[in-house]
Amino acid sequence: YPEDLMSLFKKAVELREHIKRQKQDRHAVSKLQHLESKIRRLLKYYKREEKVSKNFQYDPEKIKLIVQK
């Protein structure tokens, strides 16, 4: 996966873990939504440029496994 996409994946995983610990952090929830929107837009571009497979779907659990590798 491209480097910029991987860094966004890593941020999303870290932010999800933060939200699990700090359930009252509404600001983090909105930032996670913004970050996931950015990931989806970037994935759309990379699919069009054929740098990511066409059938790849953003799934937080899958992303967590990808980042851990």
Side-chain angles (χ1 to χ4, degrees):
Y1 295 99
E3 184 179 351
D4 55 349
L5 193 58
M6 283 301 293
S7 67
L8 290 176
F9 285 166
K10 186 176 177 183
K11 279 184 186 180
V13 168
E14 291 171 355
L15 202 50
R16 279 192 176 281
E17 290 173 3
H18 169 78
I19 291 171
K20 282 182 184 176
R21 291 189 311 269
Q22 305 290 330
K23 295 186 188 310
Q24 297 296 321
D25 194 352
R26 299 293 176 216
H27 183 72
V29 172
S30 67
K31 290 301 175 184
L32 178 63
Q33 290 173 344
H34 179 71
L35 182 62
E36 288 180 339
S37 174
K38 190 183 291 189
I39 289 170
R40 287 189 184 97
R41 287 193 311 265
L42 199 54
L43 274 173
K44 192 176 183 182
Y45 166 74
Y46 281 132
K47 285 178 184 180
R48 190 172 61 240
E49 296 294 317
E50 297 180 357
K51 294 185 179 185
V52 175
S53 68
K54 297 271 185 196
N55 59 0
F56 181 81
Q57 293 290 318
Y58 176 76
D59 177 30
E61 294 303 315
K62 253 206 281 190
I63 299 303
K64 192 174 185 179
L65 295 174
I66 291 171
V67 169
Q68 288 177 352
K69 288 183 182 176

